[in-house]
PDB file of all heavy atoms in Angstrom:
ATOM      1  N   VAL L  15      93.204 121.580 144.442  1.00 96.00           N
ATOM      2  CA  VAL L  15      93.137 122.202 143.124  1.00 96.00           C
ATOM      3  C   VAL L  15      93.670 123.625 143.257  1.00 96.00           C
ATOM      4  O   VAL L  15      93.171 124.406 144.077  1.00 96.00           O
ATOM      5  CB  VAL L  15      91.702 122.233 142.558  1.00 96.00           C
ATOM      6  CG1 VAL L  15      91.708 122.893 141.178  1.00 96.00           C
ATOM      7  CG2 VAL L  15      91.115 120.828 142.474  1.00 96.00           C
ATOM      8  N   ARG L  16      94.680 123.948 142.487  1.00 96.00           N
ATOM      9  CA  ARG L  16      95.241 125.305 142.476  1.00 96.00           C
ATOM     10  C   ARG L  16      94.904 125.945 141.136  1.00 96.00           C
ATOM     11  O   ARG L  16      95.045 125.323 140.086  1.00 96.00           O
ATOM     12  CB  ARG L  16      96.765 125.277 142.645  1.00 96.00           C
ATOM     13  CG  ARG L  16      97.250 124.777 144.005  1.00 96.00           C
ATOM     14  CD  ARG L  16      97.351 125.891 145.020  1.00 96.00           C
ATOM     15  NE  ARG L  16      97.822 125.370 146.298  1.00 96.00           N
ATOM     16  CZ  ARG L  16      99.087 125.477 146.726  1.00 96.00           C
ATOM     17  NH1 ARG L  16      99.985 126.107 145.985  1.00 96.00           N
ATOM     18  NH2 ARG L  16      99.430 124.981 147.895  1.00 96.00           N
ATOM     19  N   HIS L  17      94.494 127.203 141.181  1.00 97.00           N
ATOM     20  CA  HIS L  17      94.121 127.941 139.975  1.00 97.00           C
ATOM     21  C   HIS L  17      95.166 129.010 139.660  1.00 97.00           C
ATOM     22  O   HIS L  17      95.633 129.721 140.567  1.00 97.00           O
ATOM     23  CB  HIS L  17      92.744 128.585 140.160  1.00 97.00           C
ATOM     24  CG  HIS L  17      91.646 127.580 140.383  1.00 97.00           C
ATOM     25  ND1 HIS L  17      90.984 126.967 139.335  1.00 97.00           N
ATOM     26  CD2 HIS L  17      91.115 127.076 141.527  1.00 97.00           C
ATOM     27  CE1 HIS L  17      90.081 126.128 139.832  1.00 97.00           C
ATOM     28  NE2 HIS L  17      90.134 126.175 141.153  1.00 97.00           N
ATOM     29  N   TYR L  18      95.504 129.130 138.391  1.00 96.00           N
ATOM     30  CA  TYR L  18      96.515 130.097 137.955  1.00 96.00           C
ATOM     31  C   TYR L  18      96.035 130.809 136.696  1.00 96.00           C
ATOM     32  O   TYR L  18      95.408 130.197 135.830  1.00 96.00           O
ATOM     33  CB  TYR L  18      97.849 129.407 137.643  1.00 96.00           C
ATOM     34  CG  TYR L  18      98.482 128.689 138.812  1.00 96.00           C
ATOM     35  CD1 TYR L  18      98.098 127.391 139.142  1.00 96.00           C
ATOM     36  CD2 TYR L  18      99.468 129.295 139.573  1.00 96.00           C
ATOM     37  CE1 TYR L  18      98.671 126.728 140.213  1.00 96.00           C
ATOM     38  CE2 TYR L  18     100.062 128.638 140.636  1.00 96.00           C
ATOM     39  CZ  TYR L  18      99.658 127.355 140.955  1.00 96.00           C
ATOM     40  OH  TYR L  18     100.228 126.700 142.013  1.00 96.00           O
ATOM     41  N   ASP L  19      96.373 132.086 136.598  1.00 96.00           N
ATOM     42  CA  ASP L  19      96.200 132.842 135.360  1.00 96.00           C
ATOM     43  C   ASP L  19      97.590 133.295 134.937  1.00 96.00           C
ATOM     44  O   ASP L  19      98.253 134.049 135.653  1.00 96.00           O
ATOM     45  CB  ASP L  19      95.283 134.049 135.571  1.00 96.00           C
ATOM     46  CG  ASP L  19      94.956 134.777 134.264  1.00 96.00           C
ATOM     47  OD1 ASP L  19      95.778 134.715 133.324  1.00 96.00           O
ATOM     48  OD2 ASP L  19      93.895 135.410 134.186  1.00 96.00           O
ATOM     49  N   ILE L  20      98.046 132.813 133.778  1.00 95.00           N
ATOM     50  CA  ILE L  20      99.438 133.033 133.373  1.00 95.00           C
ATOM     51  C   ILE L  20      99.596 134.194 132.385  1.00 95.00           C
ATOM     52  O   ILE L  20     100.662 134.366 131.808  1.00 95.00           O
ATOM     53  CB  ILE L  20     100.027 131.751 132.757  1.00 95.00           C
ATOM     54  CG1 ILE L  20      99.195 131.307 131.539  1.00 95.00           C
ATOM     55  CG2 ILE L  20     100.098 130.655 133.803  1.00 95.00           C
ATOM     56  CD1 ILE L  20      99.805 130.154 130.776  1.00 95.00           C
ATOM     57  N   SER L  21      98.560 134.993 132.247  1.00 95.00           N
ATOM     58  CA  SER L  21      98.585 136.060 131.244  1.00 95.00           C
ATOM     59  C   SER L  21      99.712 137.060 131.467  1.00 95.00           C
ATOM     60  O   SER L  21     100.211 137.665 130.509  1.00 95.00           O
ATOM     61  CB  SER L  21      97.246 136.795 131.236  1.00 95.00           C
ATOM     62  OG  SER L  21      96.181 135.896 130.975  1.00 95.00           O
ATOM     63  N   ASP L  22     100.124 137.237 132.729  1.00 95.00           N
ATOM     64  CA  ASP L  22     101.177 138.204 133.040  1.00 95.00           C
ATOM     65  C   ASP L  22     102.462 137.546 133.528  1.00 95.00           C
ATOM     66  O   ASP L  22     103.335 138.217 134.100  1.00 95.00           O
ATOM     67  CB  ASP L  22     100.679 139.188 134.114  1.00 95.00           C
ATOM     68  CG  ASP L  22      99.507 140.032 133.624  1.00 95.00           C
ATOM     69  OD1 ASP L  22      99.514 140.424 132.438  1.00 95.00           O
ATOM     70  OD2 ASP L  22      98.576 140.272 134.412  1.00 95.00           O
ATOM     71  N   LEU L  23     102.592 136.248 133.295  1.00 96.00           N
ATOM     72  CA  LEU L  23     103.790 135.540 133.754  1.00 96.00           C
ATOM     73  C   LEU L  23     105.021 136.053 133.025  1.00 96.00           C
ATOM     74  O   LEU L  23     105.007 136.237 131.813  1.00 96.00           O
ATOM     75  CB  LEU L  23     103.627 134.045 133.504  1.00 96.00           C
ATOM     76  CG  LEU L  23     104.739 133.132 134.041  1.00 96.00           C
ATOM     77  CD1 LEU L  23     104.741 133.115 135.563  1.00 96.00           C
ATOM     78  CD2 LEU L  23     104.571 131.711 133.492  1.00 96.00           C
ATOM     79  N   GLU L  24     106.093 136.286 133.759  1.00 96.00           N
ATOM     80  CA  GLU L  24     107.356 136.673 133.122  1.00 96.00           C
ATOM     81  C   GLU L  24     108.310 135.498 133.129  1.00 96.00           C
ATOM     82  O   GLU L  24     108.088 134.500 133.821  1.00 96.00           O
ATOM     83  CB  GLU L  24     107.970 137.893 133.817  1.00 96.00           C
ATOM     84  CG  GLU L  24     108.555 137.685 135.185  1.00 96.00           C
ATOM     85  CD  GLU L  24     109.329 138.931 135.663  1.00 96.00           C
ATOM     86  OE1 GLU L  24     110.515 139.064 135.306  1.00 96.00           O
ATOM     87  OE2 GLU L  24     108.743 139.743 136.398  1.00 96.00           O
ATOM     88  N   PRO L  25     109.372 135.537 132.325  1.00 97.00           N
ATOM     89  CA  PRO L  25     110.330 134.436 132.317  1.00 97.00           C
ATOM     90  C   PRO L  25     110.839 134.128 133.727  1.00 97.00           C
ATOM     91  O   PRO L  25     111.070 135.033 134.528  1.00 97.00           O
ATOM     92  CB  PRO L  25     111.454 134.961 131.418  1.00 97.00           C
ATOM     93  CG  PRO L  25     110.774 135.934 130.511  1.00 97.00           C
ATOM     94  CD  PRO L  25     109.724 136.593 131.352  1.00 97.00           C
ATOM     95  N   GLN L  26     110.987 132.837 134.004  1.00 97.00           N
ATOM     96  CA  GLN L  26     111.383 132.369 135.332  1.00 97.00           C
ATOM     97  C   GLN L  26     112.768 131.730 135.280  1.00 97.00           C
ATOM     98  O   GLN L  26     113.167 131.152 134.266  1.00 97.00           O
ATOM     99  CB  GLN L  26     110.373 131.348 135.845  1.00 97.00           C
ATOM    100  CG  GLN L  26     108.918 131.826 135.838  1.00 97.00           C
ATOM    101  CD  GLN L  26     108.613 132.794 136.952  1.00 97.00           C
ATOM    102  OE1 GLN L  26     108.684 132.459 138.135  1.00 97.00           O
ATOM    103  NE2 GLN L  26     108.244 134.013 136.572  1.00 97.00           N
ATOM    104  N   VAL L  27     113.464 131.795 136.413  1.00 97.00           N
ATOM    105  CA  VAL L  27     114.782 131.173 136.535  1.00 97.00           C
ATOM    106  C   VAL L  27     114.850 130.465 137.884  1.00 97.00           C
ATOM    107  O   VAL L  27     114.517 131.047 138.919  1.00 97.00           O
ATOM    108  CB  VAL L  27     115.918 132.217 136.447  1.00 97.00           C
ATOM    109  CG1 VAL L  27     117.275 131.556 136.679  1.00 97.00           C
ATOM    110  CG2 VAL L  27     115.897 132.920 135.086  1.00 97.00           C
ATOM    111  N   ALA L  28     115.264 129.193 137.881  1.00 96.00           N
ATOM    112  CA  ALA L  28     115.510 128.470 139.127  1.00 96.00           C
ATOM    113  C   ALA L  28     116.962 128.692 139.517  1.00 96.00           C
ATOM    114  O   ALA L  28     117.874 128.421 138.729  1.00 96.00           O
ATOM    115  CB  ALA L  28     115.225 126.986 138.950  1.00 96.00           C
ATOM    116  N   CYS L  29     117.173 129.209 140.710  1.00 97.00           N
ATOM    117  CA  CYS L  29     118.512 129.597 141.164  1.00 97.00           C
ATOM    118  C   CYS L  29     119.149 128.492 142.007  1.00 97.00           C
ATOM    119  O   CYS L  29     118.446 127.655 142.578  1.00 97.00           O
ATOM    120  CB  CYS L  29     118.425 130.890 141.966  1.00 97.00           C
ATOM    121  SG  CYS L  29     117.657 132.258 141.053  1.00 97.00           S
ATOM    122  N   PRO L  30     120.475 128.485 142.114  1.00 94.00           N
ATOM    123  CA  PRO L  30     121.158 127.451 142.909  1.00 94.00           C
ATOM    124  C   PRO L  30     120.651 127.466 144.358  1.00 94.00           C
ATOM    125  O   PRO L  30     120.318 128.521 144.882  1.00 94.00           O
ATOM    126  CB  PRO L  30     122.625 127.877 142.845  1.00 94.00           C
ATOM    127  CG  PRO L  30     122.717 128.774 141.640  1.00 94.00           C
ATOM    128  CD  PRO L  30     121.402 129.452 141.542  1.00 94.00           C
ATOM    129  N   HIS L  31     120.604 126.289 144.966  1.00 93.00           N
ATOM    130  CA  HIS L  31     120.926 124.961 144.442  1.00 93.00           C
ATOM    131  C   HIS L  31     119.687 124.062 144.485  1.00 93.00           C
ATOM    132  O   HIS L  31     119.797 122.838 144.621  1.00 93.00           O
ATOM    133  CB  HIS L  31     122.031 124.301 145.283  1.00 93.00           C
ATOM    134  CG  HIS L  31     123.365 124.969 145.192  1.00 93.00           C
ATOM    135  ND1 HIS L  31     124.197 124.800 144.104  1.00 93.00           N
ATOM    136  CD2 HIS L  31     124.017 125.803 146.046  1.00 93.00           C
ATOM    137  CE1 HIS L  31     125.313 125.484 144.296  1.00 93.00           C
ATOM    138  NE2 HIS L  31     125.236 126.095 145.461  1.00 93.00           N
ATOM    139  N   ASN L  32     118.495 124.658 144.358  1.00 93.00           N
ATOM    140  CA  ASN L  32     117.262 123.874 144.386  1.00 93.00           C
ATOM    141  C   ASN L  32     116.316 124.327 143.279  1.00 93.00           C
ATOM    142  O   ASN L  32     116.240 125.525 142.973  1.00 93.00           O
ATOM    143  CB  ASN L  32     116.567 123.998 145.740  1.00 93.00           C
ATOM    144  CG  ASN L  32     117.321 123.274 146.847  1.00 93.00           C
ATOM    145  OD1 ASN L  32     117.504 122.067 146.797  1.00 93.00           O
ATOM    146  ND2 ASN L  32     117.773 124.023 147.837  1.00 93.00           N
ATOM    147  N   VAL L  33     115.565 123.371 142.734  1.00 93.00           N
ATOM    148  CA  VAL L  33     114.685 123.684 141.616  1.00 93.00           C
ATOM    149  C   VAL L  33     113.530 124.582 142.048  1.00 93.00           C
ATOM    150  O   VAL L  33     112.967 125.310 141.228  1.00 93.00           O
ATOM    151  CB  VAL L  33     114.157 122.383 140.960  1.00 93.00           C
ATOM    152  CG1 VAL L  33     113.339 122.689 139.716  1.00 93.00           C
ATOM    153  CG2 VAL L  33     115.323 121.470 140.597  1.00 93.00           C
ATOM    154  N   ASP L  34     113.156 124.549 143.325  1.00 93.00           N
ATOM    155  CA  ASP L  34     112.052 125.402 143.773  1.00 93.00           C
ATOM    156  C   ASP L  34     112.507 126.793 144.212  1.00 93.00           C
ATOM    157  O   ASP L  34     111.690 127.606 144.657  1.00 93.00           O
ATOM    158  CB  ASP L  34     111.244 124.733 144.888  1.00 93.00           C
ATOM    159  CG  ASP L  34     112.061 124.440 146.141  1.00 93.00           C
ATOM    160  OD1 ASP L  34     113.303 124.573 146.094  1.00 93.00           O
ATOM    161  OD2 ASP L  34     111.452 124.063 147.165  1.00 93.00           O
ATOM    162  N   ASN L  35     113.804 127.080 144.054  1.00 96.00           N
ATOM    163  CA  ASN L  35     114.331 128.419 144.351  1.00 96.00           C
ATOM    164  C   ASN L  35     114.154 129.280 143.088  1.00 96.00           C
ATOM    165  O   ASN L  35     115.106 129.652 142.414  1.00 96.00           O
ATOM    166  CB  ASN L  35     115.801 128.335 144.759  1.00 96.00           C
ATOM    167  CG  ASN L  35     116.373 129.685 145.171  1.00 96.00           C
ATOM    168  OD1 ASN L  35     115.629 130.629 145.466  1.00 96.00           O
ATOM    169  ND2 ASN L  35     117.688 129.779 145.190  1.00 96.00           N
ATOM    170  N   VAL L  36     112.890 129.558 142.779  1.00 96.00           N
ATOM    171  CA  VAL L  36     112.531 130.182 141.499  1.00 96.00           C
ATOM    172  C   VAL L  36     112.287 131.677 141.668  1.00 96.00           C
ATOM    173  O   VAL L  36     111.602 132.106 142.595  1.00 96.00           O
ATOM    174  CB  VAL L  36     111.274 129.501 140.906  1.00 96.00           C
ATOM    175  CG1 VAL L  36     110.854 130.178 139.604  1.00 96.00           C
ATOM    176  CG2 VAL L  36     111.539 128.018 140.670  1.00 96.00           C
ATOM    177  N   LYS L  37     112.850 132.444 140.741  1.00 97.00           N
ATOM    178  CA  LYS L  37     112.688 133.899 140.760  1.00 97.00           C
ATOM    179  C   LYS L  37     112.371 134.400 139.350  1.00 97.00           C
ATOM    180  O   LYS L  37     112.798 133.795 138.365  1.00 97.00           O
ATOM    181  CB  LYS L  37     113.965 134.573 141.264  1.00 97.00           C
ATOM    182  CG  LYS L  37     114.351 134.183 142.697  1.00 97.00           C
ATOM    183  CD  LYS L  37     115.648 134.846 143.110  1.00 97.00           C
ATOM    184  CE  LYS L  37     116.037 134.416 144.526  1.00 97.00           C
ATOM    185  NZ  LYS L  37     117.335 135.017 144.943  1.00 97.00           N
ATOM    186  N   PRO L  38     111.661 135.500 139.236  1.00 97.00           N
ATOM    187  CA  PRO L  38     111.497 136.125 137.915  1.00 97.00           C
ATOM    188  C   PRO L  38     112.864 136.518 137.367  1.00 97.00           C
ATOM    189  O   PRO L  38     113.774 136.877 138.129  1.00 97.00           O
ATOM    190  CB  PRO L  38     110.631 137.350 138.212  1.00 97.00           C
ATOM    191  CG  PRO L  38     110.007 137.089 139.538  1.00 97.00           C
ATOM    192  CD  PRO L  38     110.976 136.252 140.304  1.00 97.00           C
ATOM    193  N   VAL L  39     113.005 136.462 136.049  1.00 96.00           N
ATOM    194  CA  VAL L  39     114.300 136.767 135.444  1.00 96.00           C
ATOM    195  C   VAL L  39     114.783 138.163 135.811  1.00 96.00           C
ATOM    196  O   VAL L  39     115.993 138.418 135.908  1.00 96.00           O
ATOM    197  CB  VAL L  39     114.231 136.586 133.908  1.00 96.00           C
ATOM    198  CG1 VAL L  39     113.350 137.645 133.263  1.00 96.00           C
ATOM    199  CG2 VAL L  39     115.619 136.589 133.292  1.00 96.00           C
ATOM    200  N   SER L  40     113.854 139.087 136.063  1.00 95.00           N
ATOM    201  CA  SER L  40     114.230 140.465 136.402  1.00 95.00           C
ATOM    202  C   SER L  40     115.046 140.545 137.690  1.00 95.00           C
ATOM    203  O   SER L  40     115.800 141.497 137.890  1.00 95.00           O
ATOM    204  CB  SER L  40     112.978 141.337 136.530  1.00 95.00           C
ATOM    205  OG  SER L  40     112.090 140.799 137.491  1.00 95.00           O
ATOM    206  N   GLU L  41     114.905 139.524 138.570  1.00 96.00           N
ATOM    207  CA  GLU L  41     115.636 139.545 139.843  1.00 96.00           C
ATOM    208  C   GLU L  41     117.035 138.969 139.743  1.00 96.00           C
ATOM    209  O   GLU L  41     117.836 139.113 140.668  1.00 96.00           O
ATOM    210  CB  GLU L  41     114.839 138.797 140.913  1.00 96.00           C
ATOM    211  CG  GLU L  41     113.511 139.451 141.269  1.00 96.00           C
ATOM    212  CD  GLU L  41     112.807 138.770 142.431  1.00 96.00           C
ATOM    213  OE1 GLU L  41     113.484 138.025 143.189  1.00 96.00           O
ATOM    214  OE2 GLU L  41     111.584 138.966 142.579  1.00 96.00           O
ATOM    215  N   VAL L  42     117.351 138.291 138.635  1.00 96.00           N
ATOM    216  CA  VAL L  42     118.681 137.691 138.492  1.00 96.00           C
ATOM    217  C   VAL L  42     119.404 138.177 137.235  1.00 96.00           C
ATOM    218  O   VAL L  42     120.491 137.699 136.907  1.00 96.00           O
ATOM    219  CB  VAL L  42     118.600 136.146 138.480  1.00 96.00           C
ATOM    220  CG1 VAL L  42     118.182 135.623 139.837  1.00 96.00           C
ATOM    221  CG2 VAL L  42     117.639 135.657 137.403  1.00 96.00           C
ATOM    222  N   GLU L  43     118.816 139.117 136.530  1.00 96.00           N
ATOM    223  CA  GLU L  43     119.461 139.677 135.339  1.00 96.00           C
ATOM    224  C   GLU L  43     120.858 140.200 135.675  1.00 96.00           C
ATOM    225  O   GLU L  43     121.081 140.765 136.741  1.00 96.00           O
ATOM    226  CB  GLU L  43     118.631 140.851 134.796  1.00 96.00           C
ATOM    227  CG  GLU L  43     117.519 140.454 133.864  1.00 96.00           C
ATOM    228  CD  GLU L  43     116.892 141.676 133.224  1.00 96.00           C
ATOM    229  OE1 GLU L  43     116.232 142.458 133.944  1.00 96.00           O
ATOM    230  OE2 GLU L  43     117.063 141.861 132.013  1.00 96.00           O
ATOM    231  N   GLY L  44     121.766 139.977 134.733  1.00 95.00           N
ATOM    232  CA  GLY L  44     123.121 140.478 134.914  1.00 95.00           C
ATOM    233  C   GLY L  44     124.071 139.489 135.553  1.00 95.00           C
ATOM    234  O   GLY L  44     125.277 139.758 135.639  1.00 95.00           O
ATOM    235  N   THR L  45     123.569 138.332 135.987  1.00 96.00           N
ATOM    236  CA  THR L  45     124.438 137.305 136.561  1.00 96.00           C
ATOM    237  C   THR L  45     125.340 136.744 135.472  1.00 96.00           C
ATOM    238  O   THR L  45     124.858 136.231 134.456  1.00 96.00           O
ATOM    239  CB  THR L  45     123.613 136.165 137.191  1.00 96.00           C
ATOM    240  OG1 THR L  45     122.736 136.707 138.179  1.00 96.00           O
ATOM    241  CG2 THR L  45     124.509 135.116 137.813  1.00 96.00           C
ATOM    242  N   LYS L  46     126.655 136.842 135.660  1.00 97.00           N
ATOM    243  CA  LYS L  46     127.605 136.362 134.653  1.00 97.00           C
ATOM    244  C   LYS L  46     127.521 134.850 134.523  1.00 97.00           C
ATOM    245  O   LYS L  46     127.388 134.123 135.516  1.00 97.00           O
ATOM    246  CB  LYS L  46     129.030 136.772 135.033  1.00 97.00           C
ATOM    247  CG  LYS L  46     130.076 136.410 133.971  1.00 97.00           C
ATOM    248  CD  LYS L  46     131.474 136.790 134.426  1.00 97.00           C
ATOM    249  CE  LYS L  46     132.521 136.383 133.381  1.00 97.00           C
ATOM    250  NZ  LYS L  46     132.537 134.917 133.111  1.00 97.00           N
ATOM    251  N   VAL L  47     127.607 134.375 133.283  1.00 97.00           N
ATOM    252  CA  VAL L  47     127.485 132.944 132.987  1.00 97.00           C
ATOM    253  C   VAL L  47     128.730 132.473 132.232  1.00 97.00           C
ATOM    254  O   VAL L  47     129.208 133.150 131.313  1.00 97.00           O
ATOM    255  CB  VAL L  47     126.224 132.672 132.141  1.00 97.00           C
ATOM    256  CG1 VAL L  47     126.154 131.211 131.741  1.00 97.00           C
ATOM    257  CG2 VAL L  47     124.968 133.076 132.908  1.00 97.00           C
ATOM    258  N   ASP L  48     129.260 131.313 132.630  1.00 97.00           N
ATOM    259  CA  ASP L  48     130.418 130.733 131.949  1.00 97.00           C
ATOM    260  C   ASP L  48     130.007 129.753 130.861  1.00 97.00           C
ATOM    261  O   ASP L  48     130.707 129.594 129.856  1.00 97.00           O
ATOM    262  CB  ASP L  48     131.315 130.007 132.963  1.00 97.00           C
ATOM    263  CG  ASP L  48     131.897 130.954 133.996  1.00 97.00           C
ATOM    264  OD1 ASP L  48     132.746 131.789 133.620  1.00 97.00           O
ATOM    265  OD2 ASP L  48     131.480 130.882 135.171  1.00 97.00           O
ATOM    266  N   GLN L  49     128.875 129.067 131.082  1.00 95.00           N
ATOM    267  CA  GLN L  49     128.445 128.046 130.125  1.00 95.00           C
ATOM    268  C   GLN L  49     126.928 127.992 130.066  1.00 95.00           C
ATOM    269  O   GLN L  49     126.248 128.120 131.091  1.00 95.00           O
ATOM    270  CB  GLN L  49     128.987 126.677 130.549  1.00 95.00           C
ATOM    271  CG  GLN L  49     128.510 125.517 129.681  1.00 95.00           C
ATOM    272  CD  GLN L  49     129.168 124.211 130.063  1.00 95.00           C
ATOM    273  OE1 GLN L  49     130.369 124.025 129.861  1.00 95.00           O
ATOM    274  NE2 GLN L  49     128.398 123.285 130.620  1.00 95.00           N
ATOM    275  N   ILE L  50     126.406 127.776 128.869  1.00 97.00           N
ATOM    276  CA  ILE L  50     124.972 127.533 128.683  1.00 97.00           C
ATOM    277  C   ILE L  50     124.816 126.139 128.078  1.00 97.00           C
ATOM    278  O   ILE L  50     125.465 125.802 127.084  1.00 97.00           O
ATOM    279  CB  ILE L  50     124.333 128.580 127.755  1.00 97.00           C
ATOM    280  CG1 ILE L  50     124.354 129.964 128.430  1.00 97.00           C
ATOM    281  CG2 ILE L  50     122.900 128.187 127.401  1.00 97.00           C
ATOM    282  CD1 ILE L  50     123.833 131.083 127.550  1.00 97.00           C
TER     283      ILE L  50
END
């Protein structure tokens, strides 16, 4: 059983090339995107 409090969670982004390579959006801001 894992317990979490999400009151301070910030937007998350999974980075290439694995779904568990997750970082807060603040760490990847500014990355240029060609397609959404």
Side-chain angles (χ1 to χ4, degrees):
V15 180
R16 294 272 180 101
H17 298 274
Y18 299 84
D19 186 333
I20 58 173
S21 302
D22 296 322
L23 185 68
E24 72 171 276
Q26 306 285 296
V27 176
C29 304
H31 293 283
N32 289 299
V33 185
D34 61 350
N35 184 18
V36 178
K37 299 178 182 178
V39 69
S40 57
E41 295 186 19
V42 292
E43 274 188 292
T45 303
K46 185 182 178 300
V47 175
D48 297 291
Q49 175 175 291
I50 293 176

